[in-house]
Amino acid sequence: MESLPEAVLIRILASIPAVELVLVCRLVCCQWKNLVDGAALWILKCQQEGLTRAESDAENWQNFYFLSKKRKNLIKNPCGEEDLEHWGEVENGGDGWKIEELPGDFGKEFPSEEVHKYFVTSYEWCRKAQVIDLRAEGYWEELMDTTQPKIMVRDWYAGRSDAGCLYELCVKLLSENEDVLAEYKSETVTIPQDNDASWTEISHTFSSYGPGVRFVRFEHGGQDTLFWKGWYGVRVTNSSVTVEP
């Protein structure tokens, strides 16, 4: 192996699973360590697996590779398929949260055919939250402290066409001790009565948030503005939090 040209050795190493490269191959010798720590090997692995990015945009190709492979929605049960499972700190104002099938009364279909249900609020404030443990999801401390990958937050909301409603979103990046290191809070969105019931996406990207982020706390909610008994408040679905490569 020592006599092989470096380009050939990189191609051989690129066929090995990424975790083994870092945990095993990197420890074999100085030459292998330098190759595993270098950009050429990870650029090749990205090319082989269709993970494309302009070279000038990737400061660390190894991190880019792992973040791309790991990328997923960290919100569990975003569309109500499991009732209120995984949602904590639930505030059930009025008649509380309810899960309904799309499009619902006086509603519209969601832009994506993959979404079939939504959560709907009542005549007093309804809120629910999830706290995401980034380490438990595989985002190690050095990555979060040094690379500080972008954290993208998205949510979708809508009213029903015969009732007005309110909507709010609040997302916090928390430390080990749950101190707030960064926060995004939307304005209170007011949807008037006799609206078109269309779905609206709201999003925010956290970047350059500093070291120490270990948790993401996602909270949203709302109510109707007519105080009608039942579930005439804002509808929410397809919430997402992703760590971007």
Side-chain angles (χ1 to χ4, degrees):
M1 295 289 282
E2 293 178 358
S3 61
L4 289 175
E6 187 172 281
V8 175
L9 184 53
I10 286 174
R11 289 196 168 276
I12 293 172
L13 291 174
S15 66
I16 297 172
V19 174
E20 292 184 22
L21 283 174
V22 175
L23 298 181
V24 180
C25 298
R26 188 174 179 275
L27 306 179
V28 170
C29 63
C30 290
Q31 183 190 20
W32 284 30
K33 178 181 182 298
N34 290 335
L35 291 178
V36 173
D37 289 345
L41 171 59
W42 298 100
I43 291 173
L44 180 57
K45 284 190 74 65
C46 287
Q47 292 172 344
Q48 290 174 340
E49 300 185 34
L51 306 176
T52 58
R53 188 178 191 180
E55 290 193 28
S56 59
D57 292 340
E59 294 181 4
N60 186 315
W61 279 92
Q62 184 182 136
N63 283 347
F64 172 72
Y65 176 88
F66 278 106
L67 286 169
S68 298
K69 298 292 286 185
K70 192 178 288 293
R71 188 178 185 275
K72 66 175 182 177
N73 185 4
L74 300 177
I75 292 285
K76 296 178 174 61
N77 186 28
C79 305
E81 297 290 348
E82 302 173 70
D83 197 40
L84 284 170
E85 188 72 22
H86 304 295
W87 292 96
E89 304 177 50
V90 177
E91 180 180 344
N92 283 306
D95 289 322
W97 286 96
K98 185 182 179 184
I99 290 88
E100 295 181 344
E101 297 274 351
L102 279 158
D105 294 338
F106 296 90
K108 283 189 176 178
E109 290 288 356
F110 192 76
S112 169
E113 294 181 357
E114 297 177 358
V115 178
H116 306 289
K117 295 183 178 182
Y118 59 83
F119 303 90
V120 58
T121 60
S122 190
Y123 58 86
E124 291 181 354
W125 270 99
C126 297
R127 291 183 174 87
K128 58 187 177 70
Q130 280 193 38
V131 177
I132 298 163
D133 184 336
L134 293 170
R135 284 175 300 191
E137 296 292 344
Y139 298 98
W140 58 99
E141 295 182 2
E142 182 182 357
L143 175 73
M144 299 307 301
D145 292 347
T146 304
T147 303
Q148 295 176 31
K150 292 180 181 179
I151 299 174
M152 173 70 78
V153 177
R154 294 185 178 91
D155 201 19
W156 288 82
Y157 65 88
R160 45 185 289 160
S161 61
D162 63 340
C165 59
L166 304 175
Y167 165 82
E168 287 183 359
L169 170 66
C170 181
V171 184
K172 299 177 181 179
L173 305 187
L174 306 177
S175 70
E176 177 75 29
N177 299 319
E178 299 190 3
D179 298 319
V180 178
L181 302 180
E183 179 177 7
Y184 168 75
K185 188 171 184 179
S186 72
E187 297 179 356
T188 300
V189 178
T190 301
I191 301 175
Q193 192 175 10
D194 300 321
N195 65 88
D196 65 2
S198 61
W199 286 93
T200 300
E201 183 185 38
I202 184 171
S203 65
H204 177 75
T205 301
F206 291 97
S207 61
S208 302
Y209 39 77
V213 172
R214 300 292 178 264
F215 302 94
V216 179
R217 186 182 186 277
F218 179 104
E219 178 187 297
H220 63 181
Q223 67 172 89
D224 77 36
T225 53
L226 301 175
F227 301 97
W228 288 349
K229 182 172 176 59
W231 297 275
Y232 293 85
V234 72
R235 300 166 170 183
V236 294
T237 195
N238 205 36
S239 311
S240 67
V241 173
T242 56
V243 178
E244 299 292 318

Short mmCIF file of all heavy atoms in Angstrom, two decimals, residues 154-198:
data_model
loop_
_atom_site.label_atom_id
_atom_site.label_comp_id
_atom_site.label_asym_id
_atom_site.label_seq_id
_atom_site.Cartn_x
_atom_site.Cartn_y
_atom_site.Cartn_z
N ARG A 154 -38.70 25.69 9.53
CA ARG A 154 -39.84 25.98 8.66
C ARG A 154 -41.13 25.55 9.35
O ARG A 154 -41.14 24.60 10.12
CB ARG A 154 -39.72 25.23 7.32
CG ARG A 154 -38.58 25.67 6.43
CD ARG A 154 -38.65 24.94 5.10
NE ARG A 154 -37.61 25.37 4.17
CZ ARG A 154 -36.42 24.79 4.07
NH1 ARG A 154 -36.11 23.76 4.86
NH2 ARG A 154 -35.53 25.22 3.20
N ASP A 155 -42.21 26.25 9.01
CA ASP A 155 -43.52 25.88 9.50
C ASP A 155 -44.55 26.34 8.47
O ASP A 155 -44.29 27.24 7.67
CB ASP A 155 -43.80 26.54 10.86
CG ASP A 155 -44.89 25.83 11.66
OD1 ASP A 155 -45.18 24.66 11.36
OD2 ASP A 155 -45.43 26.44 12.60
N TRP A 156 -45.71 25.69 8.48
CA TRP A 156 -46.79 26.04 7.58
C TRP A 156 -48.05 26.31 8.40
O TRP A 156 -48.36 25.57 9.33
CB TRP A 156 -47.07 24.91 6.59
CG TRP A 156 -46.03 24.74 5.53
CD1 TRP A 156 -44.84 24.06 5.65
CD2 TRP A 156 -46.07 25.24 4.20
NE1 TRP A 156 -44.14 24.10 4.47
CE2 TRP A 156 -44.88 24.83 3.55
CE3 TRP A 156 -46.99 25.99 3.48
CZ2 TRP A 156 -44.61 25.13 2.23
CZ3 TRP A 156 -46.72 26.30 2.15
CH2 TRP A 156 -45.53 25.88 1.54
N TYR A 157 -48.79 27.36 8.04
CA TYR A 157 -50.02 27.68 8.75
C TYR A 157 -51.09 28.15 7.76
O TYR A 157 -50.80 28.61 6.66
CB TYR A 157 -49.76 28.77 9.80
CG TYR A 157 -49.34 30.11 9.25
CD1 TYR A 157 -50.28 31.07 8.88
CD2 TYR A 157 -47.99 30.42 9.08
CE1 TYR A 157 -49.90 32.30 8.35
CE2 TYR A 157 -47.60 31.66 8.57
CZ TYR A 157 -48.56 32.58 8.20
OH TYR A 157 -48.18 33.80 7.69
N ALA A 158 -52.35 28.02 8.20
CA ALA A 158 -53.48 28.46 7.38
C ALA A 158 -54.68 28.68 8.30
O ALA A 158 -54.77 28.10 9.39
CB ALA A 158 -53.82 27.43 6.30
N GLY A 159 -55.60 29.51 7.84
CA GLY A 159 -56.89 29.64 8.51
C GLY A 159 -57.96 28.92 7.70
O GLY A 159 -57.69 28.47 6.58
N ARG A 160 -59.14 28.83 8.25
CA ARG A 160 -60.27 28.36 7.45
C ARG A 160 -60.97 29.60 6.91
O ARG A 160 -60.94 30.67 7.54
CB ARG A 160 -61.21 27.46 8.25
CG ARG A 160 -61.56 27.92 9.62
CD ARG A 160 -62.39 26.89 10.37
NE ARG A 160 -63.74 26.78 9.83
CZ ARG A 160 -64.54 25.72 10.03
NH1 ARG A 160 -64.09 24.69 10.74
NH2 ARG A 160 -65.76 25.68 9.53
N SER A 161 -61.61 29.50 5.78
CA SER A 161 -62.07 30.70 5.07
C SER A 161 -63.22 31.41 5.76
O SER A 161 -63.50 32.57 5.45
CB SER A 161 -62.48 30.33 3.63
OG SER A 161 -63.55 29.39 3.65
N ASP A 162 -63.88 30.76 6.73
CA ASP A 162 -65.02 31.39 7.39
C ASP A 162 -64.68 31.94 8.77
O ASP A 162 -65.56 32.39 9.49
CB ASP A 162 -66.18 30.40 7.50
CG ASP A 162 -65.84 29.19 8.37
OD1 ASP A 162 -64.63 28.92 8.58
OD2 ASP A 162 -66.77 28.53 8.85
N ALA A 163 -63.40 31.92 9.18
CA ALA A 163 -63.05 32.38 10.53
C ALA A 163 -61.66 33.01 10.52
O ALA A 163 -60.75 32.53 9.85
CB ALA A 163 -63.09 31.21 11.52
N GLY A 164 -61.49 34.06 11.32
CA GLY A 164 -60.18 34.67 11.48
C GLY A 164 -59.40 33.97 12.59
O GLY A 164 -59.97 33.30 13.45
N CYS A 165 -58.08 34.14 12.57
CA CYS A 165 -57.26 33.45 13.58
C CYS A 165 -55.92 34.15 13.75
O CYS A 165 -55.54 35.03 12.96
CB CYS A 165 -57.07 31.98 13.22
SG CYS A 165 -56.27 31.71 11.63
N LEU A 166 -55.18 33.73 14.77
CA LEU A 166 -53.84 34.23 15.07
C LEU A 166 -52.85 33.07 15.03
O LEU A 166 -53.21 31.92 15.32
CB LEU A 166 -53.81 34.88 16.45
CG LEU A 166 -54.80 36.01 16.72
CD1 LEU A 166 -54.70 36.44 18.18
CD2 LEU A 166 -54.57 37.19 15.78
N TYR A 167 -51.60 33.41 14.71
CA TYR A 167 -50.53 32.38 14.65
C TYR A 167 -49.23 32.99 15.16
O TYR A 167 -48.91 34.15 14.89
CB TYR A 167 -50.34 31.90 13.21
CG TYR A 167 -49.05 31.13 13.00
CD1 TYR A 167 -48.95 29.78 13.31
CD2 TYR A 167 -47.91 31.77 12.50
CE1 TYR A 167 -47.77 29.09 13.13
CE2 TYR A 167 -46.72 31.08 12.32
CZ TYR A 167 -46.66 29.74 12.64
OH TYR A 167 -45.48 29.05 12.47
N GLU A 168 -48.44 32.16 15.88
CA GLU A 168 -47.10 32.56 16.34
C GLU A 168 -46.14 31.39 16.24
O GLU A 168 -46.53 30.23 16.42
CB GLU A 168 -47.13 33.05 17.79
CG GLU A 168 -47.76 34.41 17.99
CD GLU A 168 -47.70 34.88 19.44
OE1 GLU A 168 -47.18 34.13 20.29
OE2 GLU A 168 -48.18 35.99 19.73
N LEU A 169 -44.86 31.72 15.99
CA LEU A 169 -43.77 30.74 16.00
C LEU A 169 -42.62 31.30 16.82
O LEU A 169 -42.26 32.47 16.67
CB LEU A 169 -43.30 30.47 14.56
CG LEU A 169 -42.02 29.64 14.40
CD1 LEU A 169 -42.24 28.21 14.88
CD2 LEU A 169 -41.55 29.66 12.94
N CYS A 170 -42.04 30.45 17.68
CA CYS A 170 -40.87 30.87 18.46
C CYS A 170 -39.89 29.70 18.52
O CYS A 170 -40.27 28.60 18.94
CB CYS A 170 -41.28 31.28 19.88
SG CYS A 170 -39.89 31.83 20.90
N VAL A 171 -38.65 29.94 18.09
CA VAL A 171 -37.62 28.90 18.09
C VAL A 171 -36.40 29.43 18.82
O VAL A 171 -35.94 30.54 18.55
CB VAL A 171 -37.24 28.47 16.66
CG1 VAL A 171 -36.25 27.31 16.71
CG2 VAL A 171 -38.48 28.08 15.87
N LYS A 172 -35.87 28.62 19.74
CA LYS A 172 -34.71 29.03 20.54
C LYS A 172 -33.59 28.00 20.40
O LYS A 172 -33.86 26.79 20.38
CB LYS A 172 -35.09 29.16 22.01
CG LYS A 172 -36.17 30.20 22.28
CD LYS A 172 -36.56 30.23 23.76
CE LYS A 172 -37.64 31.27 24.02
NZ LYS A 172 -38.05 31.28 25.44
N LEU A 173 -32.35 28.47 20.31
CA LEU A 173 -31.17 27.62 20.39
C LEU A 173 -30.68 27.68 21.82
O LEU A 173 -30.41 28.76 22.35
CB LEU A 173 -30.08 28.09 19.43
CG LEU A 173 -30.49 28.22 17.94
CD1 LEU A 173 -29.25 28.54 17.10
CD2 LEU A 173 -31.19 26.97 17.43
N LEU A 174 -30.54 26.50 22.45
CA LEU A 174 -30.26 26.43 23.88
C LEU A 174 -28.91 25.78 24.15
O LEU A 174 -28.45 24.91 23.40
CB LEU A 174 -31.35 25.63 24.60
CG LEU A 174 -32.79 26.08 24.39
CD1 LEU A 174 -33.75 25.14 25.12
CD2 LEU A 174 -32.99 27.52 24.86
N SER A 175 -28.29 26.19 25.25
CA SER A 175 -27.03 25.60 25.70
C SER A 175 -27.29 24.33 26.51
O SER A 175 -28.44 23.91 26.70
CB SER A 175 -26.28 26.62 26.58
OG SER A 175 -26.98 26.78 27.82
N GLU A 176 -26.19 23.74 27.00
CA GLU A 176 -26.28 22.56 27.86
C GLU A 176 -27.20 22.81 29.05
O GLU A 176 -27.98 21.94 29.45
CB GLU A 176 -24.87 22.20 28.36
CG GLU A 176 -24.83 21.03 29.32
CD GLU A 176 -25.04 19.69 28.62
OE1 GLU A 176 -24.68 19.58 27.43
OE2 GLU A 176 -25.58 18.78 29.27
N ASN A 177 -27.13 24.02 29.61
CA ASN A 177 -27.96 24.38 30.77
C ASN A 177 -29.26 25.05 30.36
O ASN A 177 -29.94 25.64 31.20
CB ASN A 177 -27.17 25.30 31.70
CG ASN A 177 -25.92 24.65 32.24
OD1 ASN A 177 -25.93 23.47 32.59
ND2 ASN A 177 -24.82 25.40 32.29
N GLU A 178 -29.58 24.98 29.07
CA GLU A 178 -30.81 25.52 28.51
C GLU A 178 -30.88 27.05 28.58
O GLU A 178 -31.95 27.63 28.65
CB GLU A 178 -32.05 24.86 29.14
CG GLU A 178 -32.08 23.36 28.89
CD GLU A 178 -33.40 22.71 29.30
OE1 GLU A 178 -34.32 23.44 29.72
OE2 GLU A 178 -33.50 21.49 29.19
N ASP A 179 -29.71 27.69 28.57
CA ASP A 179 -29.67 29.14 28.40
C ASP A 179 -29.96 29.44 26.92
O ASP A 179 -29.54 28.69 26.03
CB ASP A 179 -28.30 29.70 28.77
CG ASP A 179 -27.95 29.45 30.23
OD1 ASP A 179 -28.86 29.60 31.08
OD2 ASP A 179 -26.79 29.11 30.51
N VAL A 180 -30.64 30.55 26.65
CA VAL A 180 -30.98 30.92 25.27
C VAL A 180 -29.78 31.60 24.62
O VAL A 180 -29.35 32.66 25.05
CB VAL A 180 -32.21 31.85 25.24
CG1 VAL A 180 -32.52 32.26 23.81
CG2 VAL A 180 -33.42 31.17 25.88
N LEU A 181 -29.23 30.98 23.57
CA LEU A 181 -28.09 31.52 22.85
C LEU A 181 -28.50 32.27 21.58
O LEU A 181 -27.76 33.14 21.11
CB LEU A 181 -27.10 30.40 22.49
CG LEU A 181 -26.57 29.59 23.68
CD1 LEU A 181 -25.61 28.52 23.19
CD2 LEU A 181 -25.89 30.50 24.70
N ALA A 182 -29.65 31.92 21.04
CA ALA A 182 -30.19 32.63 19.88
C ALA A 182 -31.69 32.35 19.84
O ALA A 182 -32.15 31.30 20.30
CB ALA A 182 -29.53 32.16 18.58
N GLU A 183 -32.44 33.29 19.29
CA GLU A 183 -33.90 33.15 19.30
C GLU A 183 -34.50 33.80 18.06
O GLU A 183 -34.05 34.84 17.61
CB GLU A 183 -34.49 33.78 20.55
CG GLU A 183 -36.02 33.70 20.65
CD GLU A 183 -36.56 34.28 21.95
OE1 GLU A 183 -35.76 34.86 22.72
OE2 GLU A 183 -37.77 34.15 22.19
N TYR A 184 -35.51 33.14 17.52
CA TYR A 184 -36.34 33.74 16.47
C TYR A 184 -37.79 33.69 16.94
O TYR A 184 -38.29 32.65 17.34
CB TYR A 184 -36.22 32.98 15.14
CG TYR A 184 -37.28 33.41 14.16
CD1 TYR A 184 -37.18 34.63 13.50
CD2 TYR A 184 -38.40 32.62 13.92
CE1 TYR A 184 -38.16 35.05 12.62
CE2 TYR A 184 -39.38 33.03 13.04
CZ TYR A 184 -39.27 34.25 12.39
OH TYR A 184 -40.25 34.66 11.53
N LYS A 185 -38.44 34.84 16.92
CA LYS A 185 -39.86 34.90 17.27
C LYS A 185 -40.58 35.69 16.21
O LYS A 185 -40.24 36.84 15.93
CB LYS A 185 -40.06 35.55 18.65
CG LYS A 185 -41.50 35.47 19.14
CD LYS A 185 -41.63 35.92 20.59
CE LYS A 185 -43.05 35.73 21.10
NZ LYS A 185 -43.20 36.13 22.52
N SER A 186 -41.57 35.06 15.61
CA SER A 186 -42.35 35.75 14.58
C SER A 186 -43.23 36.81 15.22
O SER A 186 -43.47 36.80 16.43
CB SER A 186 -43.23 34.74 13.83
OG SER A 186 -44.31 34.32 14.66
N GLU A 187 -43.71 37.70 14.40
CA GLU A 187 -44.78 38.57 14.85
C GLU A 187 -46.05 37.72 15.01
O GLU A 187 -46.12 36.61 14.50
CB GLU A 187 -45.03 39.68 13.82
CG GLU A 187 -43.84 40.61 13.60
CD GLU A 187 -44.14 41.67 12.56
OE1 GLU A 187 -45.24 41.61 11.96
OE2 GLU A 187 -43.29 42.55 12.36
N THR A 188 -47.02 38.23 15.74
CA THR A 188 -48.30 37.54 15.79
C THR A 188 -49.01 37.78 14.46
O THR A 188 -49.36 38.91 14.13
CB THR A 188 -49.17 38.06 16.95
OG1 THR A 188 -48.49 37.85 18.18
CG2 THR A 188 -50.51 37.34 16.98
N VAL A 189 -49.16 36.72 13.69
CA VAL A 189 -49.78 36.82 12.36
C VAL A 189 -51.30 36.80 12.53
O VAL A 189 -51.84 35.90 13.18
CB VAL A 189 -49.32 35.66 11.46
CG1 VAL A 189 -50.01 35.74 10.09
CG2 VAL A 189 -47.81 35.66 11.30
N THR A 190 -51.96 37.76 11.94
CA THR A 190 -53.41 37.83 12.00
C THR A 190 -53.99 37.47 10.64
O THR A 190 -53.67 38.10 9.63
CB THR A 190 -53.89 39.24 12.39
OG1 THR A 190 -53.34 39.58 13.66
CG2 THR A 190 -55.41 39.29 12.47
N ILE A 191 -54.81 36.42 10.60
CA ILE A 191 -55.50 36.01 9.38
C ILE A 191 -56.95 36.46 9.51
O ILE A 191 -57.64 36.04 10.45
CB ILE A 191 -55.42 34.49 9.17
CG1 ILE A 191 -53.95 34.05 9.09
CG2 ILE A 191 -56.17 34.08 7.91
CD1 ILE A 191 -53.76 32.55 9.00
N PRO A 192 -57.45 37.29 8.61
CA PRO A 192 -58.81 37.83 8.75
C PRO A 192 -59.88 36.79 8.41
O PRO A 192 -59.62 35.79 7.73
CB PRO A 192 -58.82 38.98 7.75
CG PRO A 192 -57.85 38.56 6.69
CD PRO A 192 -56.76 37.82 7.42
N GLN A 193 -61.08 37.06 8.90
CA GLN A 193 -62.23 36.26 8.47
C GLN A 193 -62.43 36.47 6.98
O GLN A 193 -62.04 37.49 6.42
CB GLN A 193 -63.47 36.66 9.26
CG GLN A 193 -64.65 35.70 9.10
CD GLN A 193 -65.81 36.09 9.99
OE1 GLN A 193 -65.82 37.17 10.58
NE2 GLN A 193 -66.80 35.21 10.10
N ASP A 194 -63.02 35.47 6.32
CA ASP A 194 -63.23 35.53 4.87
C ASP A 194 -61.91 35.56 4.11
O ASP A 194 -61.77 36.23 3.08
CB ASP A 194 -64.08 36.74 4.47
CG ASP A 194 -65.45 36.72 5.13
OD1 ASP A 194 -66.03 35.62 5.23
OD2 ASP A 194 -65.92 37.78 5.56
N ASN A 195 -60.89 34.83 4.62
CA ASN A 195 -59.63 34.69 3.90
C ASN A 195 -59.74 33.56 2.89
O ASN A 195 -60.76 32.86 2.83
CB ASN A 195 -58.49 34.44 4.89
CG ASN A 195 -58.63 33.10 5.61
OD1 ASN A 195 -58.17 32.07 5.13
ND2 ASN A 195 -59.30 33.09 6.77
N ASP A 196 -58.69 33.34 2.10
CA ASP A 196 -58.78 32.31 1.05
C ASP A 196 -58.32 30.93 1.51
O ASP A 196 -58.26 30.00 0.71
CB ASP A 196 -57.98 32.74 -0.19
CG ASP A 196 -56.48 32.85 0.08
OD1 ASP A 196 -56.04 32.56 1.22
OD2 ASP A 196 -55.74 33.23 -0.86
N ALA A 197 -57.98 30.79 2.81
CA ALA A 197 -57.62 29.50 3.41
C ALA A 197 -56.35 28.89 2.82
O ALA A 197 -56.10 27.70 2.99
CB ALA A 197 -58.78 28.49 3.29
N SER A 198 -55.54 29.69 2.14
CA SER A 198 -54.32 29.14 1.54
C SER A 198 -53.26 28.90 2.61
O SER A 198 -53.22 29.58 3.64
CB SER A 198 -53.79 30.08 0.47
OG SER A 198 -53.47 31.33 1.03
#
